[in-house]
Amino acid sequence: FCAVKMGLRVVQDFDGSFDLAPDSRKLLWDMLRSEAFSNQLSAEMKLRDDMKLEFAEILFQPVPYSSNTPKGMPKHIEPYYSNPDQFVIVHVPPNYMFSAKIFKPSRLCAVFRKVGA
């Protein structure tokens, strides 16, 4: 019998900043703003028929969990997370990132605003 002891590495500071090439940014924005994607998300979120989701033009890179970032997101994003009646946070689909030629960072999240009719 062999016991393996594994420890967690605590990340004190993580730089979640990133830059997107203008063409990549425009293509990704267009996909996230599309009515088809909004309708798909609205259906998955089981929103009322008179509500829809609209891209709030806020992207962020998920960050490692730490004492400074207990929700796995930058601090300035937490108010959106804490307000689920008005906002939804979703992972950007990998095929969207690939289509927009975004490889770094490897994951992004987008903030969507709930809007009523």
Side-chain angles (χ1 to χ4, degrees):
F1 175 72
C2 177
V4 177
K5 183 177 179 181
M6 295 178 60
L8 293 177
R9 191 177 115 217
V10 176
V11 177
Q12 296 299 329
D13 251 346
F14 179 82
D15 182 10
S17 63
F18 60 93
D19 289 314
L20 299 178
D23 290 345
S24 295
R25 182 185 180 281
K26 182 189 179 325
L27 185 55
L28 183 60
W29 252 237
D30 289 347
M31 289 186 281
L32 294 174
R33 286 182 187 142
S34 76
E35 188 171 340
F37 189 60
S38 174
N39 291 342
Q40 177 186 345
L41 285 179
S42 296
E44 288 176 14
M45 300 289 160
K46 298 182 183 347
L47 292 183
R48 296 186 329 245
D49 289 341
D50 64 338
M51 295 195 76
K52 66 177 189 166
L53 292 174
E54 163 182 288
F55 179 46
E57 301 189 3
I58 300 168
L59 290 177
F60 67 93
Q61 181 179 1
V63 299
Y65 293 96
S66 72
S67 57
N68 292 334
T69 56
K71 295 185 177 22
M73 62 187 66
K75 282 282 191 200
H76 69 280
I77 299 296
E78 288 184 14
Y80 300 105
Y81 175 82
S82 299
N83 195 346
D85 291 337
Q86 293 184 14
F87 297 97
V88 172
I89 296 175
V90 301
H91 286 279
V92 174
N95 58 319
Y96 281 23
M97 293 188 58
F98 183 79
S99 295
K101 295 180 175 53
I102 299 170
F103 305 106
K104 295 243 176 181
S106 60
R107 297 180 307 147
L108 287 175
C109 292
V111 177
F112 282 80
R113 181 180 302 109
K114 292 180 180 180
V115 290

